[in-house]
Amino acid sequence: MTQPPPPPPNQPPDPQGGFGAPTPPPQQPGYGHPQQPPQPEPGYGYPQQQPDAGYGYPQQPPTAPQQPPYGYPTAPQQHQQQYQQPVQPPYGYPAPPLGAPPGPQGSGGQAYGGYQTAPVPAVAPGGKKLSAQLQIIIAAAVAVVLIVGAGIWYANSESGEGKDGEPLSSAGTSQGGSGGSGEAKGTGGGGSEKPPAETQAKLTFQLPKPGVPDVTDVSGSWVTDKAYVKTGVNSLVAYDLAKGTPVWTLPLTGQICGTSRHLTADNKLAILFEASKRVAPRYYQQCTEVGVVDLGTGKLLWSTSVTGGSAGDQKARFGEVTVSGKTVAAGGNDGGAAFDIANGNPRWKPQANDEDCFDLGYGGGEGLVAVRKCGPYDSQYVLIQNLNPMTGAPLSQYKMPAGVKYASIVSTKPLVVAADVGDSAGDGSGISDFFSLDEKTGKLKAKITADADQYAGRCRSTKVESCTKILVGNGRLYVPTEEHEGASGEYGDETNEVIAFDLATGRTAPEKADAGDKYSLVPLRMDGGSLIAYKAPPYDKGGRIVSIDGVTMKETLLLENPADATVNDIENSFSPDYSEILYRDGRVFMSAMMLSKPRASASPDDKEPLAVSYSTR
């Protein structure tokens, strides 16, 4: 392949814009500036707050040296201060272990004993100015808390760094206050989804499940302005939005085994599929074929496979695929490869000499980010690399802490990573912490600890781009809480909230969205500065689709499904944890992700549909 140019030297971090924003918006006033005196205890879902500075605010590191072009020997890395990561050599070179001690620096206020104190509010609630004496008392109290907190931090810090120079966990310390720091951007709202004149929906169609000989993964569904597209058996099928009748069917050589979450602007989709059909008794084939489909016409524009990496002269096997700009990228245990989305020409392939590092997978969308696993089996570590999608050359990287076996990309711009550090989540969610990174420098901005008993986001640990219920926008990370007992305390009265975290500091925002008694909020996607969410209903109600302003967290109803018992049974068969839910322009689609051979004793009434649609139109 063509030798990639050297990556540019590290740049200072830019302000973070909303998810998917091509350029950051102007600096907005901070949440809670000036900061307010202590507020009443927040509701369920808010972690315990500490008044110290946000985790991950080191001294500004020196600019890293420019990386030599691909194929040149790499000069010895100089000692990097704080969290600065040296730029990774171009694709195919093993990466050296990274890590550097953190520096205790806060994000505002005056220095006190080497630590930063929070600014003291000068105005009390109601607009009354605080007296100078009261301001001094508050400042002294804050200083005492910080000194005690700093002492606890130092006693546990082992000179400020963890094993192998990794930053220590910030559990309980990254959320320094109930208000944001002023780093969050965006004004909320501004999405394309508007409430229709009539929000009451009706059932428009059901799609029958196709027969399968064994358990079959049919993950993947998309909505265009003309059709609802769903993965089938050895095929991809598009259905009329209003009637559910097939518009086109794309037969494939084998079962689809991976699809991109992202589409191009002209509705091109990247897929992985098997080279031949499954036959008994082996109900699977190797996932080796990569292709691009035009969802407007149903045409397979190209398909290909590559060799190399640990597969040797055999076809490389892939586990997932994504799209970023003009590049399709596929990753797996045999290594990573990328292709020109227009014609399938390889941009890079798994490297035969890349035994110490390989790309598990990629996060796509606005950027292209690789998750690489490196090192010998008994001491492997994970690297997060922001790549040039045209060449694969790393632009920046971050080494995940010790104890991270896998990592998932929640967003590429801004760069947010989820991981289960030391398998501490314990609930199969794949998340104990979120890492907010500067994609240009590789610097850690904030580490957000998400108690698995408290938060309901999910990531498949072995899949890089598989997180559900978690959204990024407005300089914030949005995560739902687990369900808990509602205000009435009655049976079945369970509810939850959506909590926002500032990506610059890791602190919780003061606003939250409440599902209301007997409903549970499931975030689906961003729509401009708003969240589109599904409200899973109680047994006797229909589900709802709502738009939530990403800053005020105020809710607007877009659609409500019928409360009819028969229709409810259909809707309730699609659990949000095991189904795909899409909403666009007054229509909601719910579909299965896995199919299995039906029981011989099953009656026609017991058969659940492959997909169902409701519409206000």
Side-chain angles (χ1 to χ4, degrees):
M1 81 182 195
T2 339
Q3 307 301 337
N10 291 340
Q11 302 294 325
D14 289 342
Q16 295 300 313
F19 179 73
T23 56
Q27 181 93 7
Q28 299 296 323
Y31 300 106
H33 280 255
Q35 295 189 9
Q36 300 296 324
Q39 302 295 314
E41 187 69 16
Y44 182 91
Y46 275 76
Q48 295 295 320
Q49 307 291 336
Q50 299 291 336
D52 62 326
Y55 178 87
Y57 276 80
Q59 300 287 340
Q60 180 65 30
T63 302
Q66 198 169 36
Q67 186 66 26
Y70 183 92
Y72 277 69
T74 306
Q77 297 287 345
Q78 300 296 320
H79 176 69
Q80 301 290 314
Q81 297 182 18
Q82 312 306 334
Y83 294 120
Q84 183 67 32
Q85 306 291 343
V87 175
Q88 176 72 7
Y91 186 89
Y93 275 70
L98 300 174
Q105 181 183 352
S107 58
Q110 299 175 345
Y112 190 94
Y115 291 83
Q116 297 289 323
T117 64
V120 179
V123 181
K128 296 182 179 180
K129 187 173 181 180
L130 296 178
S131 67
Q133 183 178 9
L134 185 54
Q135 292 185 45
I136 292 171
I137 293 172
I138 294 174
V142 171
V144 170
V145 173
L146 287 175
I147 292 171
V148 173
I152 295 172
W153 177 86
Y154 185 81
N156 290 280
S157 69
E158 297 181 0
S159 301
E161 63 183 54
K163 184 179 178 182
D164 299 325
E166 286 301 315
L168 292 174
S169 170
S170 66
T173 65
S174 65
Q175 297 94 27
S178 61
S181 70
E183 295 296 328
K185 303 297 187 296
T187 56
S192 61
E193 302 290 359
K194 306 299 181 185
E198 175 56 61
T199 57
Q200 189 63 46
K202 58 183 181 296
L203 178 65
T204 52
F205 66 78
Q206 300 180 62
L207 304 179
K209 284 183 178 178
V212 292
D214 203 349
V215 175
T216 302
D217 189 337
V218 290
S219 299
S221 55
W222 305 265
V223 182
T224 72
D225 57 349
K226 296 180 179 178
Y228 169 68
V229 184
K230 175 65 183 167
T231 298
V233 177
N234 302 320
S235 65
L236 196 64
V237 186
Y239 301 91
D240 182 88
L241 291 173
K243 303 175 183 177
T245 52
V247 176
W248 52 256
T249 299
L250 172 63
L252 298 165
T253 58
Q255 184 60 31
I256 291 177
C257 45
T259 60
S260 171
R261 286 190 167 195
H262 308 283
L263 300 177
T264 64
D266 55 352
N267 290 327
K268 302 294 193 303
L269 167 72
I271 63 172
L272 301 174
F273 58 101
E274 298 168 357
S276 57
K277 291 181 172 58
R278 302 176 180 183
V279 293
R282 184 185 179 192
Y283 290 115
Y284 70 96
Q285 299 290 336
Q286 300 295 338
C287 190
T288 58
E289 310 305 302
V290 185
V292 165
V293 180
D294 184 337
L295 296 188
T297 64
K299 302 296 184 184
L300 181 65
L301 302 180
W302 57 262
S303 64
T304 189
S305 60
V306 296
T307 59
S310 59
D313 59 358
Q314 303 294 313
K315 288 184 177 182
R317 298 159 296 178
F318 299 114
E320 56 185 309
V321 67
T322 195
V323 170
S324 179
K326 298 178 180 180
T327 297
V328 174
N333 288 337
D334 287 338
F339 311 87
D340 187 321
I341 198 168
N343 51 33
N345 291 339
R347 297 203 189 280
W348 64 84
K349 299 181 181 181
Q351 300 296 304
N353 62 347
D354 198 23
E355 297 176 357
D356 290 336
C357 284
F358 62 93
D359 291 3
L360 283 170
Y362 304 91
E366 288 296 313
L368 184 63
V369 176
V371 174
R372 305 200 85 199
K373 182 165 278 194
C374 299
Y377 179 78
D378 57 349
S379 58
Q380 289 183 321
Y381 58 95
V382 173
L383 291 178
I384 307 300
Q385 292 186 329
N386 185 33
L387 305 180
N388 179 329
M390 301 296 288
T391 66
L395 304 174
S396 67
Q397 74 174 27
Y398 175 77
K399 182 186 176 187
M400 297 296 287
V404 173
K405 298 177 182 177
Y406 300 96
S408 298
I409 304 300
V410 181
S411 166
T412 57
K413 284 188 179 181
L415 180 49
V416 180
V417 180
D420 187 357
V421 182
D423 296 324
S424 57
D427 65 342
S429 67
I431 307 170
S432 67
D433 299 271
F434 295 98
F435 297 78
S436 174
L437 307 176
D438 187 296
E439 62 265 20
K440 291 187 177 181
T441 66
K443 186 179 77 170
L444 176 67
K445 296 191 294 185
K447 181 182 176 189
I448 301 168
T449 295
D451 186 339
D453 292 333
Q454 195 171 2
Y455 295 102
R458 295 290 182 269
C459 298
R460 293 175 63 183
S461 60
T462 57
K463 296 287 187 180
V464 168
E465 202 172 47
S466 65
C467 298
T468 58
K469 305 182 182 179
I470 309 161
L471 302 179
V472 172
N474 304 303
R476 291 177 166 189
L477 170 72
Y478 301 95
V479 185
T481 68
E482 295 282 4
E483 292 183 357
H484 58 87
E485 187 177 272
S488 71
E490 299 175 358
Y491 175 77
D493 182 15
E494 293 185 334
T495 187
N496 77 335
E497 296 80 34
V498 173
I499 306 298
F501 296 90
D502 188 318
L503 289 176
T505 65
R507 298 175 180 175
T508 51
E511 305 86 5
K512 63 177 180 177
D514 291 294
D517 290 350
K518 301 185 180 181
Y519 286 88
S520 295
L521 277 167
V522 181
L524 301 178
R525 63 176 173 88
M526 294 300 298
D527 175 38
S530 297
L531 293 72
I532 301 298
Y534 173 66
K535 294 182 74 168
Y539 73 94
D540 57 346
K541 300 288 185 181
R544 298 173 181 174
I545 297 292
V546 296
S547 176
I548 301 171
D549 186 288
V551 173
T552 67
M553 304 300 275
K554 299 300 183 183
E555 173 187 309
T556 300
L557 179 65
L558 299 177
L559 175 150
E560 183 169 12
N561 285 336
D564 177 82
T566 303
V567 178
N568 280 9
D569 289 342
I570 298 171
E571 180 177 2
N572 292 334
S573 69
F574 292 97
S575 164
D577 287 329
Y578 304 102
S579 306
E580 293 171 338
I581 303 174
L582 305 177
Y583 175 82
R584 176 169 170 171
D585 194 22
R587 304 181 192 275
V588 62
F589 304 87
M590 312 175 78
S591 65
M593 300 170 66
M594 300 292 293
L595 300 180
S596 58
K597 186 177 181 179
R599 303 185 310 273
S601 59
S603 68
D605 293 337
D606 293 333
K607 293 182 180 180
E608 298 170 352
L610 170 68
V612 64
S613 174
Y614 302 87
S615 175
T616 60
R617 305 177 65 176

